[in-house]
Amino acid sequence: MMGLIPAPRHISRNPSGRWRLGRATRLVAGPGTEGVARWLRATVGAATGLPLAEGGGADDAGDRIVLSIDPALPPEDYRLVVDGPQCRIQGGGAAGVLWGAQTLRQLLGPDAFRRAPVRPEPEWELAAVTVEDGPRFRWRGLMLDVARHFMPKEGVLRYLDLMAAHKLNVFHFHLTDDQGWRVEIKKYPKLTETGSWRARTKFGHRASPLWEEKPHGGHYTQDDIREIVAYAAERHITVVPEIDVPGHSQAAIAAYPELGNTDVVDTSALTVWDNWGISPNVLAPTDNTLRFYEGVFEELLELFPSEFVHVGGDECLKDQWRQSPTAQARIGELGLADEDGLQAWFVGHFADWLAARGRRLIGWDEILEGGLAQGAAVSSWRGYAGGVAAARAGHDVVMCPEQQVYLDYRQHAGPDEPVPIGYVRTLEDVYRFEPVPQELTPEQARHVLGTQANVWTEAMEDHARVDYQAFPRLAAFAEVAWGRLPAPADRDFAGFERRMAVHYRRLDALGVAYRPPAGPHPWQRRPGVAGRPLDGPPPSR
């Protein structure tokens, strides 16, 4: 496989020997592939120091990289042919052409992942090969939590590049939580003026006695969001925003106290939460709250053109609703059975609101409780069960079970793992993850849109910690999401490790602070910082 990750469906040698990329090589971009040509010049051109000048047509003689659309291929499939003086990349759509160009970059070697040449006039040679490939799933996602620890815009753009390099195509952007609100809403300026900053931060798990005694925060302006969305689109990545309701909302309530259960607690005294866990301060189920969040979503829809909008819906503690006369009156008014029904009503309101505007709601699997609106989709995080139930009920599903693909979980049982959280999930464990549960029928399995790895950042204070938790496991996940692999027990993990030996050099060139196979570097450890390790194998379902 020449170290390719994800492994392609088919690769074969061509008889013409080798092809050389040099100063005479021209780049020919057919209709619809101009964006891929720009990407190649900005990345491969920068790394090689070669101009990759425009020149001639697809049938001209001489060294060429020729990009074209072949409508006979599915949109994300590609065919890469290196033969004679030409390298031809055909895709069913521009996305397929980009994935083929990413494979070309890998074939050129690790130095093709640098931002400038590392030696004068290096030789760039390729074996003459044909690669035919395409993805298994339409949703190959990464969720990044920027609410617990803010990641500045440049870091987000970097992660979009890392996603594209691994042929991942959905960026789930977790923008709000108890600990911070990260997106500018012009109608409600206090969401970022007040809600994007907390006074201090717990260092480690919430059981840790350690605090970082300085303000933490930040947010993205609407122009920042437009830039992120456009940058992602150039890499054929869809950005799915998440605004968490009705739980995980203390930052919003701190900014606008009337959003909370004012008949139970003094919401005017609340601040953006500085601890981890689940805050009891949730949104009040009032018309005022609904109108407020409709205003939020109105601005959000202008920024994010994605089909799906994520509304969270998880871990909504209902103690305040049980004590609130206002909430209890609403339960009676609507004829609901209990507080679970009240949450279902709250989420259902926004499912209908989004559907009326041509969008689809997606939420964590708790939104199944009490019933789910037609057309809404589910992110199955508490194992497979929620996804199975959703698919059987005819709802689309993204599989992201915490026991398998939560990358904040520790990678080894050793004492040197920094802030060890959850079960041990090794590189091999992730490689053997199967997104489609066996108990689904073929018809039900068609509701599995794909899969997603989740990165929650309570214990990740900067991008180096995010890198350490995400990589190399995100490379294994990318292969699972892309390829039609054998059953988990039959997968060739030894072969994957051999390809990773090459891929680590690519990650080095990209400056990724991954966990080394032999264990963390000294500067990656966090001695004395409490985590929350869980022993034994995780539940299988």
Side-chain angles (χ1 to χ4, degrees):
M1 294 291 187
M2 303 179 181
L4 296 178
I5 291 178
R9 184 169 61 224
H10 172 79
I11 185 168
S12 61
R13 296 273 187 175
N14 294 329
S16 59
R18 303 187 70 79
W19 174 73
R20 178 173 295 179
L21 177 68
R23 293 205 164 272
T25 303
R26 304 236 168 208
L27 180 55
V28 181
T33 71
E34 297 85 356
V36 181
R38 286 194 298 272
W39 178 85
L40 274 168
R41 290 192 179 98
T43 54
V44 173
T48 61
L50 300 176
L52 300 180
E54 294 182 31
D59 297 325
D60 290 356
D63 288 346
R64 296 283 189 275
I65 299 174
V66 181
L67 311 178
S68 63
I69 304 292
D70 180 356
L73 294 172
E76 290 194 275
D77 281 32
Y78 70 88
R79 183 185 304 112
L80 168 64
V81 181
V82 180
D83 195 11
Q86 289 197 351
C87 170
R88 300 187 299 279
I89 304 174
Q90 296 174 307
V97 179
L98 178 65
W99 306 141
Q102 293 283 6
T103 297
L104 171 63
R105 189 186 188 192
Q106 288 198 17
L107 289 170
L108 286 168
D111 284 346
F113 288 78
R114 297 188 178 276
R115 296 190 181 185
V118 295
R119 63 185 65 85
E121 296 296 327
E123 290 192 352
W124 301 90
E125 284 193 340
L126 287 185
V129 296
T130 294
V131 181
E132 295 176 292
D133 202 9
R136 177 186 181 188
F137 294 113
R138 59 172 277 203
W139 187 302
R140 307 180 302 279
L142 172 68
M143 190 228 69
L144 181 62
D145 165 23
V146 297
R148 272 53 175 268
H149 276 101
F150 179 65
M151 180 178 284
K153 179 190 68 177
E154 288 303 315
V156 174
L157 300 179
R158 174 176 175 266
Y159 257 82
L160 292 170
D161 280 329
L162 291 171
M163 287 179 65
H166 292 84
K167 301 184 173 73
L168 298 173
N169 71 340
V170 177
F171 179 55
H172 175 167
F173 207 5
H174 184 80
L175 288 164
T176 73
D177 219 293
D178 297 309
Q179 296 85 2
W181 184 285
R182 304 295 179 215
V183 57
E184 177 189 25
I185 302 296
K186 292 181 183 286
K187 188 173 183 179
Y188 306 119
K190 291 181 183 178
L191 286 173
T192 47
E193 291 172 1
T194 299
S196 69
W197 289 93
R198 58 179 180 262
R200 61 177 186 168
T201 297
K202 176 71 72 169
F203 193 51
H205 183 256
R206 61 181 176 271
S208 168
L210 304 177
W211 294 88
E212 186 177 36
E213 296 286 352
K214 67 177 184 180
H216 176 86
H219 73 275
Y220 310 103
T221 68
Q222 292 199 355
D223 280 345
D224 290 338
I225 294 293
R226 293 184 182 96
E227 180 182 358
I228 288 167
V229 169
Y231 195 85
E234 289 175 351
R235 287 145 185 80
H236 296 278
I237 294 170
T238 299
V239 183
V240 174
E242 180 181 353
I243 301 294
D244 223 329
V245 298
H248 287 290
S249 297
Q250 183 165 325
I253 297 168
Y256 291 91
E258 65 271 21
L259 297 174
N261 295 284
T262 57
D263 53 353
V264 177
V265 296
D266 179 10
T267 56
S268 65
L270 293 178
T271 60
V272 177
W273 209 24
D274 60 11
N275 211 332
W276 312 132
I278 308 171
S279 169
N281 294 294
V282 302
L283 298 175
T286 63
D287 290 343
N288 174 67
T289 301
L290 297 181
R291 300 293 88 76
F292 183 97
Y293 274 86
E294 286 171 2
V296 169
F297 285 120
E298 281 171 359
E299 294 194 26
L300 213 70
L301 296 189
E302 292 295 320
L303 299 171
F304 295 94
S306 55
E307 174 186 3
F308 289 97
V309 174
H310 208 291
V311 301
D314 62 314
E315 298 179 327
C316 178
L317 301 180
K318 301 180 176 67
D319 294 343
Q320 290 184 358
W321 286 356
R322 293 186 185 98
Q323 300 168 34
S324 164
T326 301
Q328 293 302 309
R330 175 126 284 185
I331 289 173
E333 169 195 329
L334 296 170
L336 303 174
D338 53 22
E339 291 77 18
D340 287 342
L342 188 59
Q343 177 169 337
W345 166 80
F346 196 107
V347 172
H349 172 86
F350 287 104
D352 294 340
W353 189 91
L354 289 167
R357 290 154 180 80
R359 306 297 185 94
R360 293 178 66 188
L361 179 144
I362 186 169
W364 303 111
D365 54 56
E366 287 95 330
I367 67 173
L368 287 164
E369 298 163 5
L372 184 56
Q374 185 177 4
V378 171
S379 301
S380 186
W381 76 273
R382 295 179 299 176
Y384 288 91
V388 170
R392 285 176 173 167
H395 293 284
D396 288 339
V397 179
V398 176
M399 285 292 185
C400 48
E402 62 171 323
Q403 303 90 343
Q404 312 297 328
V405 288
Y406 267 35
L407 300 186
D408 46 309
Y409 279 21
R410 58 190 172 136
Q411 303 181 66
H412 193 274
D416 290 335
E417 291 304 306
V419 197
I421 301 295
Y423 297 103
V424 172
R425 294 286 82 194
T426 66
L427 182 65
E428 182 172 0
D429 291 329
V430 174
Y431 189 67
R432 297 194 189 280
F433 164 59
E434 171 50 49
V436 180
Q438 291 182 344
E439 57 262 46
L440 294 181
T441 67
E443 179 64 29
Q444 293 165 350
R446 279 192 275 274
H447 284 291
V448 179
L449 300 177
T451 184
Q452 177 174 289
N454 293 340
V455 179
W456 300 102
T457 62
E458 288 95 333
M460 302 179 211
E461 70 276 11
D462 56 33
H463 87 268
R465 281 287 291 121
V466 174
D467 281 5
Y468 180 92
Q469 293 299 135
F471 288 97
R473 293 181 296 181
L474 193 64
F477 172 81
E479 186 151 315
V480 169
W482 177 269
R484 293 167 175 84
L485 302 182
D490 298 329
R491 293 177 188 173
D492 181 11
F493 180 67
F496 176 76
E497 283 191 303
R498 287 191 293 272
R499 287 183 284 119
M500 277 302 302
V502 177
H503 200 63
Y504 283 123
R505 293 170 58 204
R506 298 182 190 119
L507 298 179
D508 287 334
L510 289 166
V512 176
Y514 58 84
R515 182 191 189 275
H521 295 297
W523 57 87
Q524 293 174 319
R525 300 168 188 163
R526 296 290 186 275
V529 181
R532 185 181 64 94
L534 298 175
D535 295 327
S540 60
R541 284 286 180 262

